[in-house]
Amino acid sequence: MEQYGFIRRDTGSSVYKAASRYLLEARKHDWKKLPANTSSFHLMFGERNKLPFGRLGHDPGRKNLVNYYRGSDILCRKTALVKVFKEYCSLVKYSYPKWLPQSFRILPKNIKQTSIRNSSTTLMKEKPDDRDELLATNVSLTQEEGSSVAWIAKVTAGAKGDGIKISDDVHTLLEYVDQQEKAFVIQRYIRNPLLLQGKRKFDIRCWVLLDAWYNVYLFREGVMRTSSEPYDPVDLTKVTSHLTNHCLQKDMSENFGRFEDGNEMFFEEFNRFLMEQHGTSLEASILPQIKDIVKKCFHIVKEKINTNGLGYVCFQLFGFDFLVDDNMKVWLVEINGAPACAQDLLPHMVRSIVHTAIDPVFPPSMPREGDTWFTKIS
C-alpha cells in the first residue's frame, strides 16, 4: 500500500506538532512527512489564516485534507461572532441567544471614518458599529435594575488577556476604545459567577472538533482555568480577581498555583465540587447547556464555512470558553480557532484527532490503538 504524505507548515501549534510526531511514530506504516513546500500531498497541517485554499483540490486522483475551515474566523474573531449572530437572529426572527452576554461591536473613532474617492472628490463615510445601541441599552438596563451595569471591553482578536478593561461606566470604556487601533466588543459583564473554594472565579475550556462531514464532537475532558484571588464584585480593576487567563494569573499573582497546580482543575475534581457544594453534577447541569451552545454556533455558520462541492475537505479543533453563573447558567465567553491543549491531555487529544478526523478520510492499514476521547454531539 502506498503511504499517505503530510506536510506541516504550522510550526507554532503544539497540538499539530504532536500530531505530526504521532503519525510518524504510531502510524509510520501509513504516513510519511513531506517537505513543507510540496504541492502534492494528502494532509496539510497548515498555518492558520495562511492556508492556500485556492490551490487545494487540484491534484488529480488525490484528496486534500487541511486542518482549518476557510472562514472559521467568523466564530473566532469577537466582532465577527457578534455580527453573524445578530444577522442570523434578524434573518430567521430568532431571539438574541440567552447564552451570549449582550454584546456590541465598537470601532475606535479613528477607524470609523473611511474615505470614498471618485473622479472629482473624496467623501467621508462612517463605518457602522453598535455604539448607539450600546448606549441605549445601558440606559435601559440602568433604569430597569436601579443601579449601574458593568461592561467588559475586549479587542476583537485579543489573546492572553491583552486589552481587556472592565467598568461600570460605559462612557469610560468607549473613551478607552476610541484610543485604540482595533475594533472591540463591549459585552455585559456577568457579575454573579459561580465561585470555587476561596471565592475564586473560573472559566471552562472545552475542546470541540469539526470533521470533514461537519459532524461536531466534544472532547470528554475539559479544564477549569481558575483565578488566584477572591472575586471582588465591587473593585472591577483587580485583574487577577476578574480575569482567569493563565498568562495573566501567572505574571500578576503571587498566589498562582496555590489552589490548583497551574491554576487548572479538571472535570473530575470540578464535578466533585459541584456534588459536594451544590448537589448537582456536570452531566446534569452544565454539559447539556454546553452541548446545546456548541451545536447552535455551528448551525448558525454552516452555510458560510462548509466545504460542500469543493475539491478538498477540512477539519478543525476549536476551544470554546464558558462561564457559569451562580444560577448554574452557562454563558459563552469566546471561541478560539487554534487552541492549545493542557499538557496532561495532549497525548489523548492527538490520538483522538487522528482517529476521529483523519482516519475516516485516509483509512489506516492496521487496526488502530486506543479509543477516541471525542463524542459526537451533532
Side-chain angles (χ1 to χ4, degrees):
M1 174 181 172
E2 180 186 359
Q3 282 184 301
Y4 304 120
F6 76 89
I7 60 178
R8 182 168 77 91
R9 294 182 176 177
D10 187 350
T11 58
S13 169
S14 58
V15 171
Y16 294 119
K17 178 180 180 180
S20 300
R21 188 167 58 246
Y22 177 85
L23 290 178
L24 292 175
E25 295 175 356
R27 299 297 184 83
K28 59 185 177 182
H29 298 292
D30 295 320
W31 287 95
K32 61 182 177 182
K33 186 177 181 181
L34 304 172
N37 60 353
T38 302
S39 60
S40 183
F41 58 87
H42 295 90
L43 168 66
M44 176 192 286
F45 295 125
E47 187 174 359
R48 188 185 178 198
N49 299 326
K50 293 184 179 180
L51 278 161
F53 287 105
R55 297 199 296 272
L56 300 177
H58 302 300
D59 194 353
R62 177 163 295 186
K63 184 180 295 183
N64 292 149
L65 174 66
V66 294
N67 61 325
Y68 291 104
Y69 266 82
R70 187 174 192 170
S72 63
D73 261 10
I74 59 175
L75 283 174
C76 306
R77 294 179 67 88
K78 299 175 184 67
T79 51
L81 177 72
V82 172
K83 182 180 180 181
V84 75
F85 276 22
K86 289 187 175 182
E87 288 177 347
Y88 175 82
C89 293
S90 175
L91 181 66
V92 303
K93 309 303 181 185
Y94 177 76
S95 60
Y96 187 83
K98 296 179 180 179
W99 35 264
L100 184 68
Q102 288 169 295
S103 305
F104 304 89
R105 298 171 299 119
I106 307 298
L107 298 177
K109 285 187 175 179
N110 67 322
I111 65 172
K112 274 182 69 66
Q113 297 288 334
T114 183
S115 60
I116 302 175
R117 297 177 182 271
N118 58 31
S119 58
S120 60
T121 186
T122 298
L123 301 176
M124 298 304 295
K125 182 179 180 181
E126 189 170 274
K127 297 178 182 178
D129 68 2
D130 302 330
R131 186 178 299 240
D132 292 342
E133 184 185 352
L134 167 62
L135 291 170
T137 301
N138 181 67
V139 170
S140 176
L141 289 173
T142 300
Q143 292 174 344
E144 178 182 324
E145 300 182 10
S147 62
S148 60
V149 177
W151 300 93
I152 180 169
K154 298 183 285 188
V155 67
T156 183
K160 300 181 180 179
D162 292 343
I164 294 180
K165 190 176 182 66
I166 308 170
S167 177
D168 56 8
D169 183 346
V170 72
H171 298 282
T172 296
L173 291 184
L174 288 172
E175 290 173 4
Y176 166 71
V177 172
D178 281 336
Q179 298 170 10
Q180 310 305 310
E181 301 295 328
K182 295 181 179 180
F184 272 67
V185 162
I186 295 183
Q187 289 183 319
R188 184 167 187 181
Y189 186 60
I190 307 302
R191 295 189 90 152
N192 62 322
L194 183 66
L195 301 176
L196 298 171
Q197 173 195 6
K199 298 188 180 300
R200 296 172 301 118
K201 192 176 174 183
F202 67 95
D203 69 7
I204 304 176
R205 160 59 61 87
C206 291
W207 290 277
V208 177
L209 183 68
L210 190 64
D211 75 5
W213 295 273
Y214 215 81
N215 296 310
V216 183
Y217 300 83
L218 180 67
F219 198 61
R220 73 165 66 165
E221 185 61 90
V223 173
M224 310 326 108
R225 301 179 300 186
T226 66
S227 64
S228 306
E229 317 291 344
Y231 176 66
D232 188 337
V234 177
D235 188 348
L236 300 178
T237 66
K238 290 184 177 179
V239 172
T240 53
S241 167
H242 292 275
L243 304 182
T244 55
N245 179 271
H246 273 163
C247 295
L248 187 150
Q249 291 286 334
K250 186 175 182 179
D251 291 345
M252 300 185 65
S253 176
E254 295 180 355
N255 290 325
F256 182 79
R258 173 185 172 189
F259 294 93
E260 299 89 20
D261 186 19
N263 280 39
E264 291 182 335
M265 176 188 291
F266 294 95
F267 273 178
E268 183 178 357
E269 184 179 355
F270 181 56
N271 196 58
R272 190 161 54 245
F273 160 79
L274 290 174
M275 294 290 290
E276 293 174 353
Q277 300 298 321
H278 298 280
T280 188
S281 67
L282 261 170
E283 196 62 54
S285 299
I286 294 175
L287 285 179
Q289 295 182 68
I290 285 175
K291 293 175 183 178
D292 286 343
I293 293 170
V294 169
K295 289 189 290 186
K296 190 64 178 180
C297 287
F298 286 118
H299 172 74
I300 288 173
V301 302
K302 183 175 183 178
E303 297 307 315
K304 297 180 182 294
I305 73 172
N306 78 75
T307 58
N308 291 344
L310 300 179
Y312 62 90
V313 290
C314 308
F315 72 94
Q316 187 165 346
L317 181 70
F318 295 85
F320 277 70
D321 296 338
F322 301 97
L323 178 72
V324 182
D325 69 22
D326 57 11
N327 294 311
M328 294 295 167
K329 178 179 174 61
V330 175
W331 298 87
L332 176 65
V333 176
E334 63 184 50
I335 304 171
N336 191 304
C341 179
Q343 198 62 35
D344 291 347
L345 302 178
L346 188 58
H348 304 290
M349 174 69 72
V350 166
R351 187 191 70 242
S352 298
I353 288 174
V354 172
H355 286 191
T356 307
I358 298 176
D359 283 351
V361 182
F362 302 113
S365 60
M366 302 172 64
R368 62 190 190 185
E369 72 294 342
D371 295 326
T372 179
W373 279 29
F374 282 108
T375 301
K376 184 179 176 182
I377 62 173
S378 177

